[in-house]
Amino acid sequence: MTVSPPTVVLVSATLPGVLPAAAWPALRTAEVVFAAADLPEPTRTQLDAKPAPSPAELVRLPGVVLVAGDAEEPGAAALIAAGAAVLTVPVPPLVRAAEVMDRLRSPGGCPWDAVQTHDSLRQYLVEETYELLDAIEEDDRGALREELGDVLLQVLFHARVATEHEADPFGIDEVADELVTKLVGRHPHVFADGERVDTAEHQQVRWEELKQTEKRRESVVDGVALGQPAVALAGKLGHRTGRAGVPFDLMPAATDEASRIFRLAAAARRAGADPEGGLRSVAKEFALRVRAAERAARADGVEPAALDADGWRRYWPT
């Protein structure tokens, strides 16, 4: 009888129960199937695989299949060096990203990643989000792809940190599962026989109604993130209260600058405009004009720091 050549089957640490299709013929014809030390116990049990012997003994056995999690596992490395066939599962990039994050956070990974907490990572989430906004506003496709990755990193990082919580651990799978449940539940017209939705505006109203019921909110302003930028916060509050029928004359009526800004932002959002985005756009355009005036002054040999009001007007772009 012909003895099958040795084979190493590599499984993903994130998907340990998924084997490549090409592995099944090798498993059926193998003299013996061994599980490497890095293979999760549930996977070993499902395959009815025996614990692998030492690498030196492993390479002397005919027709063996070793199922391992990593090609650098000693037994796998020894068989591969001896000429064993290697079968792997194509790992989707999103799964690979989660694996890389786990490796960075785990013992033997990156010292900096290992000591981070949800609190210490907050600043990076804010920074990366604003960099993504810049890429969108600049319509820079390359930057958009990169910054989306950086925001995804923050999600993966926080989910990995969350797995270590003593009382309430969860990981990226639980995060994704809850998201899927939310998306399906908030779109009954797509995933069930819910009320027909024909416009984006109608869907937005239904989304908020379903959210209000789902979360058992007692106030129309429950769930508004109070930590967001002030103009965006004022706009959101104006939008929420507008949908609830709160009349505009109940908005802050003082004449101080802050109250006036609040009323402007709330009114803009009720009118369908984005006050935060609009103000950012105006601010960025203003910054460009300042830079243009400074360049024009320097071209004349004038240091911008020395400009007075008339000087700024002289070099201000039209």
Side-chain angles (χ1 to χ4, degrees), residues 133-138 277-291:
L133 286 174
D134 282 339
I136 293 171
E137 290 171 357
E138 296 299 324
L279 185 57
R280 279 173 54 81
S281 179
V282 171
K284 291 174 73 172
E285 176 62 27
F286 179 75
L288 289 175
R289 288 176 172 273
V290 171
R291 292 179 186 276

Side-chain angles (χ1 to χ4, degrees), residues 135-295:
I136 293 171
E137 290 171 357
E138 296 299 324
D139 195 22
D140 186 331
R141 300 291 294 176
L144 177 62
R145 183 168 54 249
E146 179 182 355
E147 299 305 337
L148 281 169
D150 288 342
V151 172
L152 174 60
L153 168 61
Q154 300 307 309
V155 175
L156 293 171
F157 209 150
H158 279 279
R160 177 60 181 81
V161 172
T163 65
E164 301 167 15
H165 194 278
E166 293 183 2
D168 184 24
F170 61 83
I172 192 64
D173 286 338
E174 289 79 12
V175 171
D177 185 62
E178 189 162 320
L179 173 61
V180 169
T181 300
K182 177 189 295 184
L183 290 175
V184 172
R186 302 271 178 87
H187 295 83
H189 59 292
V190 177
F191 299 100
D193 296 327
E195 175 188 347
R196 181 180 176 87
V197 174
D198 296 313
T199 66
E201 293 74 19
H202 186 189
Q203 168 56 21
Q204 187 172 20
V205 171
R206 288 291 294 131
W207 177 282
E208 292 297 336
E209 289 174 349
L210 290 166
K211 183 193 294 185
Q212 193 87 356
T213 302
E214 174 188 309
K215 295 184 176 293
R216 298 186 179 90
R217 288 176 172 165
E218 298 179 354
S219 170
V220 294
V221 298
D222 281 352
V224 174
L226 300 180
Q228 62 186 296
V231 172
L233 174 60
K236 184 71 173 179
L237 290 171
H239 182 60
R240 281 280 191 91
T241 55
R243 282 211 317 265
V246 177
F248 195 76
D249 58 67
L250 296 181
M251 293 288 168
T255 57
D256 61 282
E257 293 299 322
S259 296
R260 292 171 60 194
I261 292 171
F262 182 95
R263 290 172 66 87
L264 285 171
R269 185 65 189 275
R270 285 194 177 190
D274 173 15
E276 182 72 21
L279 185 57
R280 279 173 54 81
S281 179
V282 171
K284 291 174 73 172
E285 176 62 27
F286 179 75
L288 289 175
R289 288 176 172 273
V290 171
R291 292 179 186 276
E294 291 170 334
R295 285 195 301 271

